[in-house]
PDB file of all heavy atoms in Angstrom:
ATOM      1  N   SER A  57    -120.905  -4.309 -24.447  1.00 98.00           N
ATOM      2  CA  SER A  57    -121.822  -5.261 -25.019  1.00 98.00           C
ATOM      3  C   SER A  57    -121.694  -5.324 -26.599  1.00 98.00           C
ATOM      4  O   SER A  57    -121.063  -4.401 -27.149  1.00 98.00           O
ATOM      5  CB  SER A  57    -123.248  -4.987 -24.719  1.00 98.00           C
ATOM      6  OG  SER A  57    -123.724  -3.806 -25.412  1.00 98.00           O
ATOM      7  N   GLY A  58    -122.228  -6.336 -27.200  1.00 98.00           N
ATOM      8  CA  GLY A  58    -122.248  -6.421 -28.585  1.00 98.00           C
ATOM      9  C   GLY A  58    -123.185  -5.368 -29.207  1.00 98.00           C
ATOM     10  O   GLY A  58    -122.898  -4.787 -30.242  1.00 98.00           O
ATOM     11  N   THR A  59    -124.247  -5.054 -28.454  1.00 98.00           N
ATOM     12  CA  THR A  59    -125.115  -3.997 -28.881  1.00 98.00           C
ATOM     13  C   THR A  59    -124.425  -2.658 -28.955  1.00 98.00           C
ATOM     14  O   THR A  59    -124.571  -1.895 -29.959  1.00 98.00           O
ATOM     15  CB  THR A  59    -126.398  -3.931 -28.027  1.00 98.00           C
ATOM     16  OG1 THR A  59    -126.900  -5.204 -27.794  1.00 98.00           O
ATOM     17  CG2 THR A  59    -127.419  -3.070 -28.550  1.00 98.00           C
ATOM     18  N   THR A  83    -132.684 -12.629 -37.302  1.00 98.00           N
ATOM     19  CA  THR A  83    -131.628 -12.383 -36.331  1.00 98.00           C
ATOM     20  C   THR A  83    -132.258 -12.030 -35.013  1.00 98.00           C
ATOM     21  O   THR A  83    -133.484 -11.907 -34.814  1.00 98.00           O
ATOM     22  CB  THR A  83    -130.732 -11.261 -36.789  1.00 98.00           C
ATOM     23  OG1 THR A  83    -129.619 -11.109 -35.876  1.00 98.00           O
ATOM     24  CG2 THR A  83    -131.367  -9.903 -36.888  1.00 98.00           C
ATOM     25  N   PHE A  84    -131.377 -11.774 -33.982  1.00 98.00           N
ATOM     26  CA  PHE A  84    -131.822 -11.263 -32.706  1.00 98.00           C
ATOM     27  C   PHE A  84    -131.992  -9.760 -32.846  1.00 98.00           C
ATOM     28  O   PHE A  84    -131.265  -9.110 -33.620  1.00 98.00           O
ATOM     29  CB  PHE A  84    -130.752 -11.540 -31.661  1.00 98.00           C
ATOM     30  CG  PHE A  84    -130.939 -11.013 -30.294  1.00 98.00           C
ATOM     31  CD1 PHE A  84    -132.128 -11.161 -29.638  1.00 98.00           C
ATOM     32  CD2 PHE A  84    -129.879 -10.388 -29.638  1.00 98.00           C
ATOM     33  CE1 PHE A  84    -132.336 -10.651 -28.373  1.00 98.00           C
ATOM     34  CE2 PHE A  84    -130.073  -9.920 -28.334  1.00 98.00           C
ATOM     35  CZ  PHE A  84    -131.276 -10.041 -27.725  1.00 98.00           C
ATOM     36  N   ALA A  86    -131.076  -7.222 -31.330  1.00 98.00           N
ATOM     37  CA  ALA A  86    -129.955  -6.327 -31.130  1.00 98.00           C
ATOM     38  C   ALA A  86    -129.190  -5.986 -32.375  1.00 98.00           C
ATOM     39  O   ALA A  86    -128.492  -5.004 -32.410  1.00 98.00           O
ATOM     40  CB  ALA A  86    -128.955  -6.981 -30.081  1.00 98.00           C
ATOM     41  N   SER A  87    -129.329  -6.824 -33.422  1.00 98.00           N
ATOM     42  CA  SER A  87    -128.768  -6.501 -34.724  1.00 98.00           C
ATOM     43  C   SER A  87    -129.359  -5.229 -35.354  1.00 98.00           C
ATOM     44  O   SER A  87    -128.657  -4.482 -35.987  1.00 98.00           O
ATOM     45  CB  SER A  87    -128.848  -7.633 -35.774  1.00 98.00           C
ATOM     46  OG  SER A  87    -128.373  -8.843 -35.244  1.00 98.00           O
ATOM     47  N   VAL A 135    -125.363 -11.005 -40.629  1.00 98.00           N
ATOM     48  CA  VAL A 135    -125.171 -11.734 -39.387  1.00 98.00           C
ATOM     49  C   VAL A 135    -124.793 -13.213 -39.701  1.00 98.00           C
ATOM     50  O   VAL A 135    -125.274 -13.767 -40.661  1.00 98.00           O
ATOM     51  CB  VAL A 135    -126.551 -11.773 -38.621  1.00 98.00           C
ATOM     52  CG1 VAL A 135    -126.408 -12.381 -37.258  1.00 98.00           C
ATOM     53  CG2 VAL A 135    -127.122 -10.378 -38.526  1.00 98.00           C
ATOM     54  N   ASP A 161    -122.028  -8.719 -38.049  1.00 98.00           N
ATOM     55  CA  ASP A 161    -122.499  -9.070 -36.728  1.00 98.00           C
ATOM     56  C   ASP A 161    -122.056 -10.507 -36.493  1.00 98.00           C
ATOM     57  O   ASP A 161    -122.739 -11.447 -36.863  1.00 98.00           O
ATOM     58  CB  ASP A 161    -124.017  -8.887 -36.639  1.00 98.00           C
ATOM     59  CG  ASP A 161    -124.529  -9.276 -35.233  1.00 98.00           C
ATOM     60  OD1 ASP A 161    -123.779  -9.906 -34.458  1.00 98.00           O
ATOM     61  OD2 ASP A 161    -125.692  -8.909 -34.967  1.00 98.00           O
ATOM     62  N   ALA A 163    -121.668 -11.799 -33.482  1.00 98.00           N
ATOM     63  CA  ALA A 163    -121.964 -12.017 -32.060  1.00 98.00           C
ATOM     64  C   ALA A 163    -122.033 -13.550 -31.704  1.00 98.00           C
ATOM     65  O   ALA A 163    -121.658 -13.908 -30.644  1.00 98.00           O
ATOM     66  CB  ALA A 163    -123.233 -11.312 -31.674  1.00 98.00           C
ATOM     67  N   GLU A 164    -122.513 -14.363 -32.688  1.00 98.00           N
ATOM     68  CA  GLU A 164    -122.801 -15.724 -32.409  1.00 98.00           C
ATOM     69  C   GLU A 164    -121.711 -16.634 -33.037  1.00 98.00           C
ATOM     70  O   GLU A 164    -121.886 -17.873 -33.062  1.00 98.00           O
ATOM     71  CB  GLU A 164    -124.161 -16.099 -32.979  1.00 98.00           C
ATOM     72  CG  GLU A 164    -125.320 -15.341 -32.356  1.00 98.00           C
ATOM     73  CD  GLU A 164    -126.720 -15.596 -32.879  1.00 98.00           C
ATOM     74  OE1 GLU A 164    -126.829 -16.504 -33.735  1.00 98.00           O
ATOM     75  OE2 GLU A 164    -127.683 -14.973 -32.375  1.00 98.00           O
ATOM     76  N   SER A 185    -119.929 -10.548 -29.344  1.00 98.00           N
ATOM     77  CA  SER A 185    -120.622 -10.492 -27.981  1.00 98.00           C
ATOM     78  C   SER A 185    -120.144 -11.578 -27.096  1.00 98.00           C
ATOM     79  O   SER A 185    -119.819 -12.663 -27.474  1.00 98.00           O
ATOM     80  CB  SER A 185    -122.156 -10.683 -28.241  1.00 98.00           C
ATOM     81  OG  SER A 185    -122.756 -10.872 -27.009  1.00 98.00           O
ATOM     82  N   ASN A 187    -121.988 -12.098 -24.166  1.00 97.00           N
ATOM     83  CA  ASN A 187    -123.150 -12.183 -23.304  1.00 97.00           C
ATOM     84  C   ASN A 187    -123.186 -13.627 -22.716  1.00 97.00           C
ATOM     85  O   ASN A 187    -122.485 -14.513 -23.163  1.00 97.00           O
ATOM     86  CB  ASN A 187    -124.444 -11.870 -24.046  1.00 97.00           C
ATOM     87  CG  ASN A 187    -125.538 -11.388 -23.160  1.00 97.00           C
ATOM     88  OD1 ASN A 187    -125.406 -11.362 -21.923  1.00 97.00           O
ATOM     89  ND2 ASN A 187    -126.688 -11.041 -23.691  1.00 97.00           N
ATOM     90  N   LYS A 190    -123.472 -16.878 -24.941  1.00 97.00           N
ATOM     91  CA  LYS A 190    -122.674 -17.018 -26.157  1.00 97.00           C
ATOM     92  C   LYS A 190    -121.555 -18.104 -25.986  1.00 97.00           C
ATOM     93  O   LYS A 190    -121.408 -18.632 -24.895  1.00 97.00           O
ATOM     94  CB  LYS A 190    -122.036 -15.610 -26.529  1.00 97.00           C
ATOM     95  CG  LYS A 190    -123.115 -14.575 -26.858  1.00 97.00           C
ATOM     96  CD  LYS A 190    -123.713 -14.756 -28.214  1.00 97.00           C
ATOM     97  CE  LYS A 190    -125.131 -14.170 -28.333  1.00 97.00           C
ATOM     98  NZ  LYS A 190    -125.338 -12.746 -28.150  1.00 97.00           N
ATOM     99  N   GLY A 197    -120.610  -8.388 -22.315  1.00 98.00           N
ATOM    100  CA  GLY A 197    -119.521  -7.685 -22.917  1.00 98.00           C
ATOM    101  C   GLY A 197    -119.556  -7.881 -24.443  1.00 98.00           C
ATOM    102  O   GLY A 197    -120.404  -8.580 -24.920  1.00 98.00           O
TER     103      GLY A 197
HETATM  104  C1  PLP B 401    -126.179 -11.517 -28.700  1.00 66.29           C
HETATM  105  C2  PLP B 401    -126.366 -10.838 -29.987  1.00 66.29           C
HETATM  106  C3  PLP B 401    -126.118  -9.511 -30.108  1.00 66.29           C
HETATM  107  C4  PLP B 401    -125.956  -8.539 -28.975  1.00 66.29           C
HETATM  108  O1  PLP B 401    -124.896  -8.812 -28.120  1.00 66.29           O
HETATM  109  P1  PLP B 401    -125.045  -8.286 -26.608  1.00 66.29           P
HETATM  110  O2  PLP B 401    -123.585  -8.450 -26.111  1.00 66.29           O
HETATM  111  O3  PLP B 401    -126.028  -9.123 -25.930  1.00 66.29           O
HETATM  112  O4  PLP B 401    -125.460  -6.868 -26.568  1.00 66.29           O
HETATM  113  C5  PLP B 401    -126.195  -8.986 -31.374  1.00 66.29           C
HETATM  114  N1  PLP B 401    -126.462  -9.760 -32.451  1.00 66.29           N
HETATM  115  C6  PLP B 401    -126.674 -11.060 -32.366  1.00 66.29           C
HETATM  116  C7  PLP B 401    -126.873 -11.848 -33.597  1.00 66.29           C
HETATM  117  C8  PLP B 401    -126.655 -11.665 -31.090  1.00 66.29           C
HETATM  118  O5  PLP B 401    -126.868 -12.990 -31.009  1.00 66.29           O
END
Side-chain angles (χ1 to χ4, degrees):
S57 71
T59 310
T83 186
F84 176 49
S87 304
V135 187
D161 180 346
E164 302 179 0
S185 167
N187 204 356
K190 298 284 157 58

